[in-house]
């Protein structure tokens, strides 16, 4: 529905509405430990987070270099200020709402529908990727599927803080390397 009907400028308002609806569903489900959303920072795999961020940066740079080399830019002061703004806002306005919807809500409310946690993780990653179809890009669909696998496993093994941090770092690194070209709604060209 988002990919087909959502106007470009409505992405963040829609994400806010979905986040509120997701939190209400989580509350209505009952039995959720709300403290888990703010605790767990001691369980964050910091060395993995660093390696993951560097790996995402290398992959993002390689994809941009191969698919859109003209988009690679020098780091001008204006671009550095823009990236600083993204590094502050993306974790709060994009990664946090997505993680609330796709990890706690999915696994707490719908996880019991799957007899095997591995199937639940793959389904979670597929749904996460499917939610990014609004970008109409195979690159985005592939990256969000594999990212979804990592974020889901981080959530299950290390908690919400780890999933949110990894998602925020991945997104920020992708924007830093120029992959924001694929994830910016202003570049979306619908195939119809």
């Amino acid at each position: 529905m988002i990919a087909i009907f959502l106007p470009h400028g409505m992405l963040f308002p829609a994400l806010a509405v979905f986040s509120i609806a997701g939190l209400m569903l989580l509350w209505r489900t009952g039995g959720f430990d709300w403290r888990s959303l703010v605790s767990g920072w001691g369980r964050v795999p910091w060395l993995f987070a660093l390696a993951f961020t560097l790996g995402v940066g290398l992959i993002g740079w390689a994809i941009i270099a191969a698919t859109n080399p003209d988009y690679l830019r020098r780091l001008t002061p204006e671009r550095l200020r823009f990236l600083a703004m993204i590094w502050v806002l993306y974790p709060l306005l994009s990664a946090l709402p997505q993680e609330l919807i796709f990890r706690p809500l999915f696994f707490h409310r719908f996880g019991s529908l799957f007899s095997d946690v591995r199937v639940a993780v793959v389904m979670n990653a597929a749904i996460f990727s499917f939610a990014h179809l609004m970008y109409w890009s195979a690159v985005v669909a592939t990256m969000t599927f594999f990212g979804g696998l990592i974020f889901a496993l981080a959530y299950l093994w290390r908690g919400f803080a780890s999933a949110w941090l990894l998602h925020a770092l991945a997104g920020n690194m992708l924007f830093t390397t120029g992959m924001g070209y694929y994830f910016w709604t202003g570049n979306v060209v619908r195939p119809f």
Side-chain angles (χ1 to χ4, degrees):
M1 297 290 290
I2 291 171
I4 296 171
F5 298 113
L6 187 70
H8 292 298
M10 295 302 294
L11 178 60
F12 285 107
L15 193 53
V17 168
F18 289 134
S19 297
I20 292 167
L23 289 172
M24 289 172 53
L25 282 171
L26 198 54
W27 176 74
R28 293 272 301 146
T29 302
F32 181 71
D33 180 10
W34 292 94
R35 293 172 295 180
S36 69
L37 297 178
V38 293
S39 64
W41 290 99
R43 296 174 51 206
V44 171
W46 295 103
L47 190 57
F48 175 79
L50 175 64
F52 175 71
T53 304
L54 294 174
V56 168
L58 287 172
I59 291 168
W61 180 85
I63 290 171
I64 284 295
T67 62
N68 198 1
D70 293 337
Y71 195 76
L72 293 173
R73 302 180 186 168
R74 292 191 314 240
L75 288 177
T76 63
E78 180 181 278
R79 183 161 186 231
L80 287 173
R81 283 191 296 275
F82 181 70
L83 285 174
M85 183 180 68
I86 286 176
W87 275 76
V88 170
L89 295 178
Y90 178 82
L92 298 172
L93 299 179
S94 188
L96 177 61
Q98 288 181 64
E99 284 307 309
L100 287 170
I101 295 166
F102 290 104
R103 270 28 104 181
L105 178 62
F106 177 88
F107 286 106
H108 184 72
R109 186 169 175 96
F110 305 110
S112 63
L113 297 174
F114 305 96
S115 59
D116 186 340
V117 71
R118 294 173 295 191
V119 174
V121 167
V122 170
M123 287 303 299
N124 181 264
I127 292 168
F128 183 67
S129 176
F130 192 69
H132 289 80
L133 286 181
M134 64 193 161
Y135 296 108
W136 300 101
S137 167
V139 170
V140 171
T142 302
M143 291 190 83
T144 54
F145 177 79
F146 286 107
L149 287 175
I150 291 168
F151 307 150
L153 291 171
Y155 175 74
L156 293 174
W157 293 344
R158 300 292 182 124
F160 181 76
S162 294
W164 177 28
L165 177 71
L166 291 175
H167 188 158
L169 290 171
N172 281 340
M173 185 53 75
L174 289 174
F175 277 98
T176 300
T177 61
M179 286 293 295
Y181 173 82
Y182 288 99
F183 289 88
W184 178 55
T185 57
N187 286 334
V188 173
V189 177
R190 292 181 178 170
F192 50 85

